Amino acid sequence: MTCAACAQASERAVKKLSGIIEASVNFSTEKLAVKFEQSALSLDDIKAAVAKAGYEAGDDRTEKQVTIPIGGMTCASCAAAIERSLRKLDGVSQVSVNLATEKAVASYEPETLRLSAIKQAIRIAGYEPLAIDAGASIDEHKAAKEREIKILWIKFIVSAAFSVPLFYFAMGAMLGWPLPAAIDAMEYPLRYALLELLLVIPVIAAGYRFYVVGFKAILHRSPNMDSLIAMGTFAATAYSVWSTVEIARGDFHLVESLYYETVGVIITLILLGKSLEAVTKGRTSESIMKLMGLQPKTATVLQDGKEIEMPIEEVESGDILMVRPGEKIPVDGEVLTGRTAVDESMLTGESMPVEKEPGTKVIGASINKNGSITFKATQVGADTVLSRIIKLVEDAQGSKAPIAQMADIVSG
């Protein structure tokens, strides 16, 4: 997607499907949020509709990678048995067991599978999972955005490298700039026209996506900004090529009807704008990632009278958690035992710690100051106050921040 019209076109294409309850495309975040009846259609049907509209849809998933040391393996068949056991789990996308290092590396979806289930599968296979090495979260969308920014800057540099001399040769005579006599438009019109043609070809190649997306949008009767760029520059190029052919046939006065420099400058400036826009979006994404960094990575859960430390992604609503002085509160919840003061300034702006006692609510990512407490998790994952604020910030990219809505989330 390159403009708001693209977002509207893809949104209309999805809404036409039978079984769609609600569909909304956010151009700033480049995401489609959709509610649909699974009995009426599938995700593949939705992706096909987006593709038919001229765009590409992919799953917005964040995978987690974990490295688990394993005890009890003695041969290659042991490693193979563990791999088979883990691959049977729903949510595991990739698994590899190394006999030499006695470790299993698994990529899985935290929304679908808990780490404890992976460990249990290893135990069922007859082996013992040991202390876990923390793995890195794989943010595919962020990596794709970084690649997009890099490619756009490369295209802009290539385009500018050819557009600058093209503009110089085309406008130099009128502006009194010194030009080589060998390419004088009046003396050597064909040579001059061919030089401009050779210089504009790499620029058009750098901006080829405008033509692919723009003309495809026209075919689907939903023209966008790329369609305007494609039609304008294509018309100017086609007329200039025709003029070049006529010059070669001896009609030299058409040397004044060449518009190659117009095509080059337009594509270069549009590529510059697209590059700056992508960088701005990337910076907003970094701000969102910093917000996400406020949340602790692990939580202490009380199960059967034991304290079990587990990744925060595994905490479920209803779990009983313990937080000691100085630790961050992992998720939203309600205090069961203990009294303390909690620093909520990073979310509410309140400089003074807030007293907490049994029955009061605590907010995930706030800091427990001076007392141990146990609390019951009430909102986890995407339902926590911090996650909802992050979602609100994502949806508000490119517009005024909805401060009132943020205040409602924190106070609500």
Side-chain angles (χ1 to χ4, degrees), residues 240-296:
S240 299
V241 170
W242 176 82
S243 298
T244 302
V245 173
E246 291 300 311
I247 291 171
R249 292 178 176 178
D251 194 354
F252 298 142
H253 78 276
L254 286 175
V255 74
E256 298 178 357
S257 301
L258 300 175
Y259 299 97
Y260 292 122
E261 79 283 356
T262 303
V263 174
V265 171
I266 288 176
I267 292 177
T268 300
L269 292 178
I270 296 296
L271 284 173
L272 175 60
K274 296 292 184 184
S275 302
L276 295 175
E277 181 184 39
V279 170
T280 301
K281 288 181 181 178
R283 288 176 179 171
T284 306
S285 297
E286 287 180 8
S287 299
I288 293 173
M289 292 302 292
K290 288 179 180 178
L291 275 176
M292 295 174 66
L294 293 174
Q295 201 168 36

Side-chain angles (χ1 to χ4, degrees), residues 179-232:
L179 291 171
I183 57 169
D184 185 272
M186 297 298 104
E187 294 293 332
Y188 306 100
L190 181 59
R191 189 182 299 176
Y192 171 83
L194 290 175
L195 175 63
E196 287 200 349
L197 176 60
L198 290 174
L199 286 173
V200 82
I201 288 174
V203 180
I204 293 175
Y208 80 94
R209 183 168 175 80
F210 298 133
Y211 301 96
V212 174
V213 176
F215 286 124
K216 187 180 289 186
I218 292 174
L219 292 175
H220 289 93
R221 292 180 293 180
S222 57
N224 53 27
M225 185 61 68
D226 287 337
S227 303
L228 179 63
I229 298 167
M231 288 191 297

Side-chain angles (χ1 to χ4, degrees), residues 39-302:
S39 59
L41 74 165
S42 65
L43 279 176
D44 291 335
D45 297 326
I46 297 174
K47 292 178 183 178
V50 174
K52 189 176 180 181
Y55 308 96
E56 183 180 354
D59 293 331
D60 183 25
R61 295 180 179 178
T62 301
E63 281 194 339
K64 188 90 173 170
Q65 189 178 82
V66 64
T67 301
I68 307 175
I70 300 174
M73 292 193 298
T74 58
C75 62
S77 62
C78 299
I82 295 172
E83 286 187 1
R84 286 195 301 270
S85 179
L86 295 182
R87 286 197 177 104
K88 293 178 181 177
L89 298 174
D90 291 334
V92 173
S93 60
Q94 187 176 359
V95 60
S96 175
V97 179
N98 190 312
L99 176 63
T101 60
E102 296 185 324
K103 290 182 179 180
V105 178
S107 297
Y108 68 101
E109 299 171 14
E111 298 86 357
T112 306
L113 187 68
R114 293 187 67 158
L115 185 57
S116 56
I118 296 177
K119 294 162 70 174
Q120 184 61 25
I122 295 173
R123 292 191 183 96
I124 292 174
Y127 306 92
E128 182 62 29
L130 305 177
I132 296 174
D133 298 336
S137 178
I138 304 171
D139 191 340
E140 295 180 357
H141 185 73
K142 180 182 178 183
K145 205 63 182 171
E146 290 175 349
R147 287 195 300 270
E148 179 188 352
I149 293 173
K150 183 178 180 181
I151 291 172
L152 280 172
W153 278 120
I154 292 173
K155 287 182 177 181
F156 166 70
I157 292 170
V158 170
S159 180
F162 287 92
S163 292
V164 170
L166 174 60
F167 181 81
Y168 185 90
F169 293 143
M171 306 301 293
M174 288 186 287
L175 298 175
W177 296 341
L179 291 171
I183 57 169
D184 185 272
M186 297 298 104
E187 294 293 332
Y188 306 100
L190 181 59
R191 189 182 299 176
Y192 171 83
L194 290 175
L195 175 63
E196 287 200 349
L197 176 60
L198 290 174
L199 286 173
V200 82
I201 288 174
V203 180
I204 293 175
Y208 80 94
R209 183 168 175 80
F210 298 133
Y211 301 96
V212 174
V213 176
F215 286 124
K216 187 180 289 186
I218 292 174
L219 292 175
H220 289 93
R221 292 180 293 180
S222 57
N224 53 27
M225 185 61 68
D226 287 337
S227 303
L228 179 63
I229 298 167
M231 288 191 297
T233 56
F234 178 78
T237 303
Y239 183 78
S240 299
V241 170
W242 176 82
S243 298
T244 302
V245 173
E246 291 300 311
I247 291 171
R249 292 178 176 178
D251 194 354
F252 298 142
H253 78 276
L254 286 175
V255 74
E256 298 178 357
S257 301
L258 300 175
Y259 299 97
Y260 292 122
E261 79 283 356
T262 303
V263 174
V265 171
I266 288 176
I267 292 177
T268 300
L269 292 178
I270 296 296
L271 284 173
L272 175 60
K274 296 292 184 184
S275 302
L276 295 175
E277 181 184 39
V279 170
T280 301
K281 288 181 181 178
R283 288 176 179 171
T284 306
S285 297
E286 287 180 8
S287 299
I288 293 173
M289 292 302 292
K290 288 179 180 178
L291 275 176
M292 295 174 66
L294 293 174
Q295 201 168 36
K297 306 302 180 186
T298 61
T300 302
V301 180
L302 299 179

Side-chain angles (χ1 to χ4, degrees), residues 371-394:
S372 295
I373 58 171
T374 62
F375 71 96
K376 180 181 179 180
T378 54
Q379 280 88 32
V380 299
D383 295 328
T384 63
V385 167
L386 181 62
S387 296
R388 287 156 62 195
I389 289 177
I390 291 171
K391 180 66 167 59
L392 193 62
V393 172
E394 272 191 332

Side-chain angles (χ1 to χ4, degrees), residues 329 333-342 344 353-362 368 370-376:
I329 294 173
E334 182 177 331
V335 178
L336 298 177
T337 63
R339 295 176 180 272
T340 187
V342 176
E344 299 178 347
V354 180
E355 297 293 330
K356 300 293 181 181
E357 58 185 18
T360 57
K361 297 183 181 298
V362 289
N368 183 28
N370 53 22
S372 295
I373 58 171
T374 62
F375 71 96
K376 180 181 179 180

